[in-house]
Amino acid sequence: MSEGVKPKLLVLASTYPRWPRDHEPGFVHELCKRLTDQFDVLVLTSRSPGSSAREQFDGVTVVRYRYAPRGLESLVYGGGIAANLKRTPWKLALVPGFIAAMYIVARRIVREHRIDVIHAHWLIPQGVVARSLARRRGIPFVVTSHGGDLFGLRSGWLTRWKRVVAADAAAMTVVSSAMRDEAVRLRLEPRRLDVLPMGADMRTRFTPMDSALRSRDDLLFVGRLVAKKGLPHLLDAMPAVLRGRPAVTLTIAGFGPEEADLKERAARLGIEQSIRFLGAMTQDRLPDLYRRAALLVAPFVRDASGDQEGLPVVLMEAIACGCPVLAGNVSGVHDLLGADAADLSVDSSDTARLGNSILAALADPEMARERAMRLHEAIVGRFDWTIVAAGYAELLQSLVPQHRRRTHVAMAVTPPP
């Protein structure tokens, strides 16, 4: 490796934007592009119909590997791996090829690019692949758990693999305090365990606007249409909400494998005239929804597999826009709601209580606005991407071999001729 070159960071991820303005979750890319000033970032992720095999994306080199015949590469997108497997069990046959192809391509990248450090997003399967590469090549790796891989995937042998990955990682990060507690409960024992969240762009995109533009009766749901988001409970609460406030509408911005079932449920409840399904929404369209809504309702639950939210980015974005919020009382919301958690979270499976909480929030918009702005002030200094990316950069730099770190620091402080 020549002198004066940035350390090389390999990022392993499953969920990643397939193209600019993709509606799929983009939090891994948002972090990666903010690391390019300190690292040469190369992301390895899976292909999807319509995506490029290799491209430069906001300064990040993205390589996408093929793991099945074209047209069958449907394991990741449209709801996430866990939800897709639950909905379509035959896709389990895609998993061995998905993991094997990731490992083969990652091994070639490590060898050809002389990677300095690896960042694996999700304990399984990316953490397993990172561990194998690290043991083979002596490269330090960080593994980040986002929630589903820690709270879900609860069989005995999968838990054992989580422990093995964590034990061999140079560091493990989780995105919320609740996840740190869960990692301890599961006896995951990495050499270093940090709470480092994902973030939101609270400086230019997710910002408050004039509260006079906010509706008094429009409810908003944003997120994937999967079990842990709890949307069936919100639909079940809507008849009581409409009896109390007939003008209420619910806008649903999201996509996923449960969409058809949810539309059928709304029709069965006789509330379809009050529900708008917008489908998939790109990030640039979300702020206007947050700024208009009277209340974001995020009825999170722990699903049948044990999966739940790690740190809900949707809740973070809404709060950043000054939107009043009501969330399901899962442990991952407490880092965002703080002292207001008791008032702003509810057991979503208790649909009567959920409906009453919605009506109470709508009945006192001034109180809802004051709480929303108080939360906004509390999170901006903790969850803006500038702060979050700096934390990850510091951690990753600490793992770069010492001679490489000295080279990069010298390059950064030497003035131009």
Side-chain angles (χ1 to χ4, degrees), residues 31 42 70 83 91 96-97 141 180 239 289 334 357 364 371 393 414:
L31 174 59
L42 192 155
R70 190 182 301 275
K91 291 185 179 181
F141 78 97
R180 178 186 57 204
L289 294 178
H334 289 259
S357 297
D364 194 347
R371 281 180 174 157
T414 301

Side-chain angles (χ1 to χ4, degrees), residues 8-10 106-107 109-119 129-142 168-170 191 399-401:
K8 292 184 178 292
L9 170 66
L10 172 62
R107 184 177 61 183
I109 288 171
V110 165
R111 182 178 64 249
E112 294 177 355
H113 293 265
R114 298 183 64 186
I115 296 298
D116 293 296
V117 61
I118 300 171
H119 189 184
V129 170
R131 172 185 177 270
S132 298
L133 294 170
R135 290 170 65 88
R136 184 183 181 93
R137 307 288 297 191
I139 302 171
F141 78 97
V142 175
D168 282 354
R191 280 167 270 182
L399 301 177
V400 173

Side-chain angles (χ1 to χ4, degrees), residues 56-388:
Q56 285 292 124
F57 191 2
D58 292 331
V60 178
T61 301
V62 182
V63 176
R64 299 183 177 88
Y65 62 88
R66 173 157 291 161
Y67 62 92
R70 190 182 301 275
L72 291 180
E73 294 173 312
S74 56
L75 182 62
V76 176
Y77 298 98
I81 293 176
N84 285 334
L85 289 175
K86 180 180 178 181
R87 188 79 176 181
T88 316
W90 71 261
K91 291 185 179 181
L92 187 63
L94 299 173
V95 172
F98 180 85
I99 298 173
M102 185 197 317
Y103 175 75
I104 291 168
V105 178
R107 184 177 61 183
R108 185 180 72 238
I109 288 171
V110 165
R111 182 178 64 249
E112 294 177 355
H113 293 265
R114 298 183 64 186
I115 296 298
D116 293 296
V117 61
I118 300 171
H119 189 184
H121 289 268
W122 294 279
L123 285 157
I124 298 172
Q126 282 76 20
V128 175
V129 170
R131 172 185 177 270
S132 298
L133 294 170
R135 290 170 65 88
R136 184 183 181 93
R137 307 288 297 191
I139 302 171
F141 78 97
V142 175
V143 61
T144 294
S145 175
H146 293 277
D149 53 339
L150 188 65
F151 291 120
L153 306 177
R154 303 187 72 82
S155 71
W157 69 275
L158 288 173
T159 298
R160 286 192 291 273
W161 265 112
K162 295 178 197 180
R163 291 173 184 154
V164 167
V165 170
D168 282 354
M172 175 178 168
T173 70
V174 292
V175 298
S176 68
S177 301
M179 289 184 62
R180 178 186 57 204
D181 296 341
E182 181 71 1
V184 171
R185 192 189 70 79
L186 291 174
R187 303 198 308 277
L188 273 59
E189 299 177 348
R191 280 167 270 182
R192 174 176 175 178
L193 179 60
D194 291 356
V195 177
L196 281 176
M198 292 293 101
D201 181 354
M202 301 181 187
R203 299 191 177 192
T204 61
R205 173 166 288 172
F206 297 104
T207 58
M209 296 289 281
D210 187 350
S211 60
L213 300 177
R214 194 168 295 285
S215 164
R216 298 180 67 86
D217 288 296
D218 289 349
L219 304 179
L220 175 65
F221 170 94
V222 177
R224 283 178 168 177
L225 306 185
V226 295
K228 69 178 180 179
K229 304 296 185 179
L231 189 51
H233 302 298
L234 176 54
L235 293 180
D236 289 347
M238 282 297 293
V241 173
L242 289 167
R243 285 194 294 272
R245 290 180 75 103
V248 165
T249 60
L250 170 61
T251 297
I252 298 171
F255 65 100
E258 294 192 351
E259 182 172 354
D261 291 346
L262 291 166
K263 288 179 176 178
E264 181 182 340
R265 193 183 200 99
R268 189 168 65 249
L269 291 166
I271 58 173
E272 66 269 35
Q273 297 303 314
S274 300
I275 311 293
R276 281 198 310 160
F277 283 87
L278 297 184
M281 300 289 287
T282 55
Q283 282 275 297
D284 58 319
R285 297 174 64 190
L286 292 177
D288 286 343
L289 294 178
Y290 293 134
R291 291 168 186 149
R292 172 173 169 74
L295 183 69
L296 174 89
V297 186
F300 306 127
V301 294
R302 190 163 190 160
D303 70 17
S305 72
D307 190 9
Q308 61 176 297
E309 290 294 307
L311 184 77
V313 173
V314 163
L315 206 59
M316 187 188 303
E317 293 169 349
I319 292 169
C321 289
C323 181
V325 298
L326 179 68
N329 187 23
V330 295
S331 53
V333 307
H334 289 259
D335 283 7
L336 290 171
L337 300 183
D340 288 300
D343 296 316
L344 299 180
S345 61
V346 62
D347 178 0
S348 298
S349 64
D350 184 344
T351 54
R353 188 176 174 193
L354 176 60
N356 289 336
S357 297
I358 291 170
L359 289 170
L362 296 178
D364 194 347
E366 184 59 27
M367 174 65 77
R369 187 193 70 80
E370 289 177 4
R371 281 180 174 157
M373 294 313 298
R374 185 166 66 246
L375 286 175
H376 171 267
E377 294 302 318
I379 74 166
V380 167
R382 298 167 56 209
F383 297 102
D384 179 73
W385 266 125
T386 304
I387 306 297
V388 170

